[in-house]
């Protein structure tokens, strides 16, 4: 296709979303390099994201632009070869097993605690906050941690496993407020070091360990924002590990982003730049993988809260860039903006969800009453 034909094709797609090339609305797309059109047609979301990182286009309202595009499913009309290749790769290779299980820790969570400390707020909790009665990010994250503890019925003397413990905030909260002892697992060296220092003096052990390697008894087991890295080929294994390590009268909580449609891979841009070897589970995949192992006692969706959480993270990190400039260059900052804006758009259009599931091995006698 010629350059004018490529531009016309892109303009027609944008018009479906009420977006104009070089228009005056905040969500309009301003083009700085005409190579953008061919790059997007050839590579879809990967091309759009990389072109933004390279400064080929801008928008005054980036999340507003992406929200409009996703709302009318423009992304589904432009799928590059990259998406097909990812599907094939995931079909052939177990991308989350063995050494690959540590890749996301090395390439994302280990990029620098300084960035996450400035972005995430007082508590380093890198997952959706709970805004039902909260007015700010710190209060909403504390409300989420307390919600998890209440759903699990934590009590003094219980032993708790945190699969994907991050920087240790959830275990610290549970130990201090509910009197439990715990073990936290992470595949990130930076997170492990930070969590050990954070939980110093508490009955909490932090391990750099794959969840598949653990074989111990716990009264409660939870995972907050880790299941997105498990992969569909390993979902059954994950639930088998939880069942094997959970007491017969125990409870397990799964906090995960979820997709409306089943797949075996993530968006090509997210795969390449943010979360390698990741994917979002569907409700069907979770139900099938846990079938015969657990009774699903409660399934809570508060995905709309993630948009507000991401906005708070965006505000924090934008304010922090001047102090972080020595470590993170302009291309990285544009990459991070595109990541946060795209995530906001995905939750805002309800294309992806945030689920908390509570499960028991054989059903809670008399039934389970879920806190909210």
């Amino acid at each position: 296709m010629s350059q004018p034909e490529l531009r016309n094709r892109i303009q027609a797609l944008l018009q479906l979303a009420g977006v104009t090339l070089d228009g005056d609305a905040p969500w309009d797309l301003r083009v700085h390099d005409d190579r953008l059109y061919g790059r997007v047609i050839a590579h879809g979301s990967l091309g759009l994201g990389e072109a933004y990182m390279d400064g080929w286009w801008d928008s005054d309202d980036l999340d507003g632009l992406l929200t409009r595009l996703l709302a009318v499913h423009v992304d589904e009309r432009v799928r590059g070869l990259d998406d097909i290749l990812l599907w094939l790769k995931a079909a052939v290779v177990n991308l989350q097993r063995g050494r690959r299980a540590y890749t996301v820790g090395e390439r994302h969570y280990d990029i620098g605690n300084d960035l996450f400390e400035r972005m995430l707020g007082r508590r380093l909790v890198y997952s959706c906050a709970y805004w039902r009665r909260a007015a700010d990010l710190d209060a909403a994250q504390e409300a989420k941690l307390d919600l998890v503890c209440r759903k699990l019925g934590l009590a003094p003397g219980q032993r708790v496993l945190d699969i994907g413990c991050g920087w240790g905030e959830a275990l610290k909260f549970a130990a201090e407020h509910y009197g439990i002892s715990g073990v936290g697992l992470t595949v990130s060296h930076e997170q492990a070091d930070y969590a050990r220092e954070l939980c110093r003096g508490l009955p909490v052990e932090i391990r750099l360990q794959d969840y598949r390697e653990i074989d111990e008894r716990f009264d409660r087991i939870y995972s907050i924002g880790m299941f997105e890295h498990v992969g569909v080929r390993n979902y059954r294994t994950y639930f088998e590990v939880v069942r094997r390590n959970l007491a017969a009268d125990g409870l397990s909580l799964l906090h995960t982003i979820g997709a409306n449609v089943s797949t075996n891979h993530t968006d090509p841009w997210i795969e390449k730049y943010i979360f390698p070897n990741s994917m979002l589970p569907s409700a069907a995949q979770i139900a099938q993988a846990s079938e015969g192992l657990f009774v699903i006692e409660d399934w809570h969706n508060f995905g709309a809260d993630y948009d507000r959480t991401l906005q708070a993270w965006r505000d924090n990190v934008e304010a922090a860039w001047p102090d972080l400039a020595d470590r993170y260059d302009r291309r990285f900052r544009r990459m991070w903006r595109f990541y946060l804006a795209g995530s906001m758009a995905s939750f805002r259009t309800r294309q992806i969800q945030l689920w908390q599931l509570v499960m028991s091995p054989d059903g809670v006698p008399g039934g389970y009453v879920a806190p909210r």
Side-chain angles (χ1 to χ4, degrees):
M1 296 175 70
S2 67
Q3 194 76 343
E5 289 173 326
L6 290 169
R7 177 186 169 88
N8 290 339
R9 171 65 174 149
I10 294 298
Q11 179 64 86
L13 289 170
L14 294 177
Q15 285 176 345
L16 295 173
V19 176
T20 303
L21 283 175
D22 300 319
D24 297 326
W27 55 81
D28 283 338
L29 191 154
R30 300 192 308 276
V31 179
H32 307 310
D33 191 317
D34 286 341
R35 291 177 294 174
L36 167 69
Y37 313 124
R39 194 171 188 177
V40 172
I41 294 299
H43 297 287
S45 64
L46 178 61
L48 184 69
E50 287 185 330
Y52 181 79
M53 292 165 60
D54 291 337
W56 289 13
W57 65 274
D58 273 300
S59 176
D60 293 334
D61 181 8
L62 183 58
D63 53 295
L65 165 64
L66 298 178
T67 297
R68 283 166 172 77
L69 297 180
L70 291 182
V72 296
H73 305 282
V74 168
D75 55 311
E76 297 175 11
R77 297 169 181 264
V78 187
R79 290 194 181 277
L81 181 61
D82 311 273
D83 193 70
I84 298 172
L85 291 176
L86 268 182
W87 186 91
L88 291 171
K89 183 179 179 182
V92 174
V93 180
N94 190 333
L95 298 173
Q96 300 85 14
R97 189 170 181 82
R99 189 70 195 90
R100 296 187 185 92
Y102 292 82
T103 301
V104 70
E106 296 163 355
R107 288 178 49 189
H108 187 81
Y109 298 106
D110 286 347
I111 59 177
N113 285 341
D114 56 348
L115 172 65
F116 292 113
E117 285 177 316
R118 297 299 298 271
M119 183 175 83
L120 300 179
R122 186 169 65 86
R123 294 184 182 276
L124 267 71
V125 179
Y126 197 15
S127 54
C128 183
Y130 190 52
W131 294 86
R132 189 174 188 184
R133 286 180 288 271
D136 59 65
L137 177 63
D138 293 334
Q141 288 293 13
E142 185 165 319
K144 188 265 299 297
L145 296 179
D146 193 61
L147 180 67
V148 169
C149 294
R150 289 187 291 119
K151 284 182 175 181
L152 288 169
L154 295 191
Q158 291 177 342
R159 189 164 186 253
V160 177
L161 175 64
D162 182 338
I163 300 177
C165 66
W167 291 274
E169 294 282 1
L171 275 176
K172 179 177 185 288
F173 183 91
E176 290 178 340
H177 292 270
Y178 288 85
I180 59 91
S181 63
V183 172
L185 309 181
T186 178
V187 294
S188 163
H189 291 272
E190 292 286 337
Q191 287 185 337
D193 290 343
Y194 187 100
R196 289 179 185 127
E197 186 61 32
L198 182 75
C199 296
R200 185 182 297 276
L202 296 171
V204 170
E205 179 187 359
I206 304 296
R207 302 177 188 172
L208 189 70
Q209 184 178 21
D210 189 314
Y211 69 93
R212 283 162 284 216
E213 300 170 357
I214 196 160
D215 191 7
E216 303 172 32
R217 184 52 54 92
F218 294 91
D219 299 296
R220 301 289 190 268
I221 298 176
Y222 66 82
S223 176
I224 303 174
M226 173 272 181
F227 198 71
E228 299 89 336
H229 306 303
V230 170
V232 66
R233 296 166 70 108
N234 306 296
Y235 289 163
R236 183 69 178 182
T237 298
Y238 172 89
F239 287 114
E240 288 173 345
V241 168
V242 174
R243 179 65 188 264
R244 182 181 74 224
N245 289 279
L246 185 62
D249 60 349
L251 290 174
S252 177
L253 182 141
L254 177 66
H255 172 119
T256 182
I257 300 172
N260 294 337
V261 178
S262 299
T263 184
N264 71 349
H265 65 288
T266 193
D267 172 81
W269 187 86
I270 290 290
E271 163 69 26
K272 184 173 181 179
Y273 291 101
I274 306 297
F275 296 119
N277 302 336
S278 67
M279 62 162 289
L280 302 183
S282 69
Q285 289 168 334
I286 290 174
Q288 182 178 25
S290 61
E291 184 174 332
L293 296 173
F294 287 101
V295 172
I296 298 177
E297 302 283 0
D298 183 52
W299 196 312
H300 183 190
N301 184 351
F302 54 98
D305 283 22
Y306 224 141
D307 181 18
R308 192 171 177 183
T309 303
L310 287 154
Q311 291 180 52
W313 291 348
R314 190 246 328 260
D315 292 344
N316 285 345
V317 78
E318 288 296 334
W321 284 133
D323 298 329
L324 300 171
D326 290 343
R327 285 209 43 187
Y328 304 97
D329 63 18
R330 179 176 179 272
R331 193 168 193 265
F332 181 94
R333 294 197 297 271
R334 290 180 69 88
M335 176 191 79
W336 209 254
R337 286 177 183 134
F338 192 80
Y339 155 50
L340 295 178
S343 299
M344 289 177 215
S346 297
F347 284 104
R348 197 173 298 166
T349 57
R350 303 307 305 276
Q351 291 200 9
I352 57 178
Q353 315 302 324
L354 189 286
W355 297 323
Q356 281 190 354
L357 286 75
V358 177
M359 301 178 169
S360 66
D362 297 300
V364 174
Y368 173 84
V369 179
R372 291 290 190 268

